[in-house]
Amino acid sequence: MTDADITTTTDWQAWQRSWDRQQEWYLPDREERFRIMLDMVEAVVGTAPRVLDLACGTGTITARLLARFPDATSTGVDLDPALLAIAEGTFAGDGRVTLVTADLKDPDWPARLPHDAYDAVLTATALHWLHREPLADLYGQVAGLVRAGGVFMNADHMIDESTPRINAAERAQRHARMEQARETGVIGWTEWWQLAAEDPVLAEPTARRYEIYGDHADGDMPSVQWHASVLREKGFGEARPVWCSPSDTLLLALK
């Protein structure tokens, strides 16, 4: 099925594949990052964890979690109506998955969750939308949700401003690769949302999504050191990277 085909169907797996392709255009090592994330889930909390998929989007982490650990359960929380619609369609009838609509900037969002504590809280390519102050507040809330001995992992853009030449070289190489991929027909963020807006089922939630977010908004994307320091301040005993690429870091914090 092509990207054009998905505009006339509610084949949720097709939407998932299309979302994956769009994200992989930006993050070619995305699946490796998820593999390491789940390796560390197993290492720290075992193979039947209760997981909070934070800013879950279409449920990318949840899908990989359940494929690897069939005895796991997942609570996905997000505010995006269109991405949640895809997640709801994907996991319909799966009792292991609960989806919650909540704004992570709302101080009371944890009250919407079905559980008070989780073995693992996982998130990827999402929290860079937040600036430092709300992100630090969110980390404090996450620390309150992770049980003793549990784990939080955030895979995202974490920029070291002390290495501007390295950053510039990485950015130039990444953009050149993306342009080469575009020539083969790969679609990016804007084009993917145009397809969603044209779909009979996703058009309405996509319109609501733009009312909430607009096109795109990036936060501060602070360094790994900032993330690790704030997580310790908020109640985690240990925090450090467990994987990185030239552009991204997977940071693990242990309660």
Side-chain angles (χ1 to χ4, degrees):
M1 178 174 289
T2 67
D3 287 322
D5 291 333
I6 64 177
T7 63
T8 59
T9 183
T10 53
D11 181 340
W12 300 115
Q13 290 302 324
W15 277 109
Q16 292 285 4
R17 291 191 296 271
S18 179
W19 177 259
D20 285 342
R21 287 195 298 271
Q22 179 256 126
Q23 290 288 289
E24 288 162 0
W25 185 54
Y26 301 97
L27 300 164
D29 41 21
R30 183 168 174 257
E31 291 301 325
E32 173 71 4
R33 186 177 61 167
F34 289 137
R35 183 186 68 81
I36 298 298
M37 177 181 281
L38 296 181
D39 281 350
M40 297 309 299
V41 167
E42 182 174 3
V44 177
V45 296
T47 60
R50 175 190 290 171
V51 170
L52 176 60
D53 186 350
L54 193 67
C56 65
T58 67
T60 298
I61 291 174
T62 292
R64 286 151 181 79
L65 172 79
L66 299 179
R68 178 159 169 178
F69 306 127
D71 294 328
T73 60
S74 179
T75 301
V77 59
D78 208 302
L79 186 61
D80 190 310
L83 298 186
L84 279 174
I86 296 173
E88 288 164 358
T90 299
F91 300 108
D94 192 332
R96 299 171 296 176
V97 180
T98 302
L99 295 170
V100 175
T101 300
D103 185 351
L104 297 182
K105 293 182 180 179
D106 179 352
D108 296 325
W109 72 266
R112 294 178 174 265
L113 301 177
H115 306 291
D116 294 330
Y118 289 85
D119 301 308
V121 177
L122 309 176
T123 189
T125 324
L127 301 189
H128 64 273
W129 284 52
L130 297 176
H131 291 277
R132 281 173 170 81
E133 184 174 347
L135 181 54
D137 291 342
L138 179 63
Y139 279 169
Q141 293 172 310
V142 168
L145 290 167
V146 176
R147 67 161 173 83
V151 64
F152 167 66
M153 279 183 272
N154 180 14
D156 212 340
H157 318 311
M158 300 182 188
I159 297 175
D160 187 341
E161 295 180 352
S162 71
T163 58
R165 290 184 296 164
I166 296 173
N167 299 347
E170 181 279 322
R171 185 167 54 251
Q173 190 276 338
R174 173 162 41 90
H175 288 177
R177 174 189 54 75
M178 291 168 66
E179 284 304 311
Q180 292 173 350
R182 184 179 285 280
E183 293 174 1
T184 69
V186 175
I187 65 171
W189 175 266
T190 301
E191 295 88 349
W192 191 91
W193 282 108
Q194 289 171 347
L195 288 175
E198 295 166 3
D199 183 84
V201 174
L202 291 178
E204 190 273 335
T206 297
R208 285 192 284 120
R209 182 248 177 224
Y210 275 95
E211 291 176 0
I212 296 169
Y213 294 112
D215 183 42
H216 201 289
D218 282 325
D220 296 328
M221 290 184 280
S223 68
V224 172
Q225 292 76 18
W226 182 92
H227 286 272
S229 175
V230 171
L231 285 164
R232 292 190 188 98
E233 290 172 5
K234 296 298 182 178
F236 287 91
E238 301 177 12
R240 73 165 177 85
V242 291
W243 176 90
C244 70
S245 73
S247 63
D248 270 41
T249 297
L250 172 59
L251 190 142
L252 183 152
L254 187 65
K255 188 73 177 290

